């Protein structure tokens, strides 16, 4: 695609995404106050001190506790430490971080839909569907309540990492160019804070692997494509381990002792917690990307979500998805 064509076809959607992210962050930080949640540290209050805490696998607070999983935050917060020491206020660094994560994840969804879906859509939908899809990724109830409202940095970074990693993975596979896979690995390093929760590893890799299976099925009679696909996934997986070894190795070596003790002593509590949390996420609530504790008990958003119009609106999400199924069956 030439620059002129790109400028003509992509400029308006990119501006829409850019302004949406900028508007949200501007509203949140208009008073110059720092964002903080009860489940994570206030990472931007003093990035210099925070980096020192993240840099070691042992937290010196109280009598000391292991924190090997926090090593994944080191690359990004090292940059924040440097910028903070240059005199940039922590609240500005936090606002910039939120904006960049929102923009990265949302634009990744836009270009991912353009790459995988748009080419098979009618001409009048080629641009609008990726734009709507990217904005929906940002503004859907799950993203707003369970990612941005929770205040957990691993989920903020996962919001950007998962679609960005998948986008470059798909680009490389479709174009048979491993350089795109290398960019995906670079993104996993930049957004490595997402791996503060090891479950993000499964999230990051599950969708590319599923896509690869569909790729194999599509080109099942073309040995060249299958051979490249196998080489591609193995090469990227090895590169991913090497680039992320700074947190993987300590997590494996130390974490197997720490987490084994935790699992042995709290397995009953964990089961009880799952049962308790599950009451807030019954099947019909999950289908609407909602959470009872956030939307239906007035804890955060008021009682308006109990009203009939808002209940109907929430059912539009699964309804549209279900009604779209016949259309998607026709797409390659």
């Amino acid at each position: 695609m030439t620059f002129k064509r790109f400028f003509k076809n992509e400029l308006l959607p990119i501006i829409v995404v850019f302004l949406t992210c900028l508007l949200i962050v501007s509203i949140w930080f208009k008073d110059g106050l720092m964002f903080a949640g009860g489940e994570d540290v206030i990472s931007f209050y003093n990035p210099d001190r925070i980096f020192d805490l993240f840099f070691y696998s042992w937290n010196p607070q109280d009598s000391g506790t292991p924190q090997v999983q926090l090593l994944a935050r080191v690359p990004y917060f090292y940059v924040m430490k440097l910028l903070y020491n240059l005199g940039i206020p922590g609240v500005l660094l936090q606002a910039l971080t939120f904006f960049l994560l929102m923009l990265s994840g949302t634009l990744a969804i836009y270009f991912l839909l353009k790459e995988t879906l748009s080419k098979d859509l009618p001409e009048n939908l080629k641009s609008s569907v990726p734009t709507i899809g990217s904005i929906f990724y940002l503004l859907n109830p799950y993203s707003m309540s369970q990612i941005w409202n929770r205040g957990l940095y691993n989920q903020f970074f996962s919001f950007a990492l998962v679609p960005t990693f998948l986008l470059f993975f798909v680009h490389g596979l479709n174009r048979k160019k491993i350089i795109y896979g290398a960019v995906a690995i670079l993104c996993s390093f930049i957004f490595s804070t997402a791996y503060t929760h090891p479950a993000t590893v499964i999230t990051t890799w599950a969708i590319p692997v599923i896509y690869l299976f569909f790729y194999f099925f599509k080109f099942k009679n073309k040995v060249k494509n299958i051979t490249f696909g196998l080489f591609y996934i193995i090469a990227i997986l090895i590169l991913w381990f090497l680039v992320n070894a700074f947190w993987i190795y300590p997590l494996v070596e130390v974490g197997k002792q720490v987490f084994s003790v935790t699992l042995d002593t709290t397995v009953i509590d964990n089961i009880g917690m799952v049962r308790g949390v599950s009451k807030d996420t019954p099947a019909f609530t999950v289908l609407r990307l909602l959470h009872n504790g956030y939307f239906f008990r007035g804890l955060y958003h008021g009682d308006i979500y109990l009203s009939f119009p808002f209940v109907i609106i929430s059912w539009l999400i699964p309804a549209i998805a279900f009604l779209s199924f016949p259309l998607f069956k026709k797409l390659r």
Side-chain angles (χ1 to χ4, degrees):
M1 180 182 292
T2 65
F3 179 78
K4 183 178 180 180
R5 184 181 173 191
F6 177 87
F7 188 83
K8 178 181 178 181
N9 295 345
E10 316 294 352
L11 181 60
L12 181 58
I14 290 176
I15 290 178
V16 170
V17 170
F18 181 91
L19 291 180
T20 302
C21 297
L22 183 62
L23 178 61
I24 293 174
V25 174
S26 298
I27 292 173
W28 287 354
F29 291 92
K30 63 181 175 60
D31 296 325
L33 299 177
M34 195 166 289
F35 180 95
E39 297 183 81
D40 210 325
V41 297
I42 309 177
S43 299
F44 290 88
Y45 178 73
N46 185 347
D48 201 12
R49 172 61 177 157
I50 287 295
F51 174 78
D52 291 339
L53 293 176
F54 291 162
F55 191 73
Y56 298 98
S57 60
W58 187 260
N59 190 330
Q61 294 178 355
D62 298 326
S63 58
T65 54
Q67 56 174 25
V68 286
Q69 72 277 14
L70 294 184
L71 290 173
R73 298 188 176 191
V74 167
Y76 188 83
F77 282 94
Y78 177 71
V79 176
M80 293 299 102
K81 171 185 176 180
L82 296 178
L83 295 176
Y84 182 75
N85 289 336
L86 290 175
I88 301 177
V91 65
L92 181 58
L93 293 175
Q94 186 182 45
L96 180 63
T97 296
F98 277 37
F99 173 72
L100 292 177
L101 293 176
M102 282 186 182
L103 186 64
S104 299
T106 309
L107 283 180
I109 289 293
Y110 172 79
F111 287 109
L112 187 61
L113 290 174
K114 292 280 288 187
E115 173 71 16
T116 58
L117 180 65
S118 184
K119 62 184 70 174
D120 296 320
L121 292 175
E123 195 64 35
N124 60 325
L125 297 178
K126 287 185 181 294
S127 180
S128 59
V129 167
T131 304
I132 294 171
S134 62
I135 296 298
F136 179 77
Y137 179 68
L138 174 63
L139 298 182
N140 72 77
Y142 180 87
S143 291
M144 286 289 106
S145 65
Q146 299 303 299
I147 295 179
W148 301 106
N149 195 42
R150 288 287 297 275
L152 295 172
Y153 281 90
N154 64 288
Q155 297 194 163
F156 298 160
F157 280 80
S158 295
F159 177 90
L161 170 63
V162 173
T164 304
F165 187 90
L166 179 61
L167 171 65
F168 287 108
F169 178 89
V170 169
H171 266 302
L173 189 62
N174 290 346
R175 290 163 177 75
K176 295 184 177 61
K177 292 184 178 180
I178 199 170
I179 185 63
Y180 288 107
V183 175
I185 300 303
L186 178 61
C187 290
S188 75
F189 179 76
I190 295 173
F191 298 131
S192 63
T193 298
Y195 297 124
T196 302
H197 198 300
T200 306
V201 175
I202 300 175
T203 309
T204 304
W205 280 101
I207 307 176
V209 169
I210 292 172
Y211 185 89
L212 183 65
F213 278 118
F214 277 98
Y215 179 86
F216 286 157
F217 180 79
K218 180 179 178 181
F219 297 105
K220 57 186 176 182
N221 296 323
K222 296 184 178 181
V223 177
K224 185 177 180 180
N225 291 75
I226 294 177
T227 302
F228 176 80
L230 290 173
F231 168 76
Y232 185 69
I233 188 69
I234 293 172
I236 291 180
L237 188 60
I238 293 173
L239 284 174
W240 182 85
F241 272 107
L242 292 175
V243 168
N244 290 280
F246 71 94
W247 65 265
I248 294 176
Y249 179 77
L251 183 66
V252 172
E253 285 299 306
V254 180
K256 60 186 178 184
Q257 302 173 12
V258 174
F259 296 127
S260 63
V261 173
T262 303
L263 290 174
D264 289 342
T265 57
T266 63
V267 63
I268 302 300
D269 293 336
N270 288 336
I271 293 174
M273 188 178 298
V274 169
R275 288 175 176 171
V277 172
S278 296
K279 295 178 181 179
D280 279 334
T281 53
F284 289 122
T285 299
V286 173
L287 284 174
R288 294 179 288 162
L289 302 181
L290 299 175
H291 185 288
N292 285 354
Y294 283 76
F295 291 98
F296 302 138
R297 295 180 185 169
L299 297 181
Y300 294 96
H301 305 294
D303 295 330
I304 192 171
Y305 285 92
L306 295 172
S307 65
F308 181 75
F310 274 77
V311 172
I312 295 299
I313 292 173
S314 69
W315 275 106
L316 288 177
I317 295 173
I320 292 175
F322 178 77
L323 294 174
S324 300
F325 184 71
L327 173 63
F328 281 101
K329 283 183 65 177
K330 300 177 182 178
L331 303 181
R332 292 188 297 123

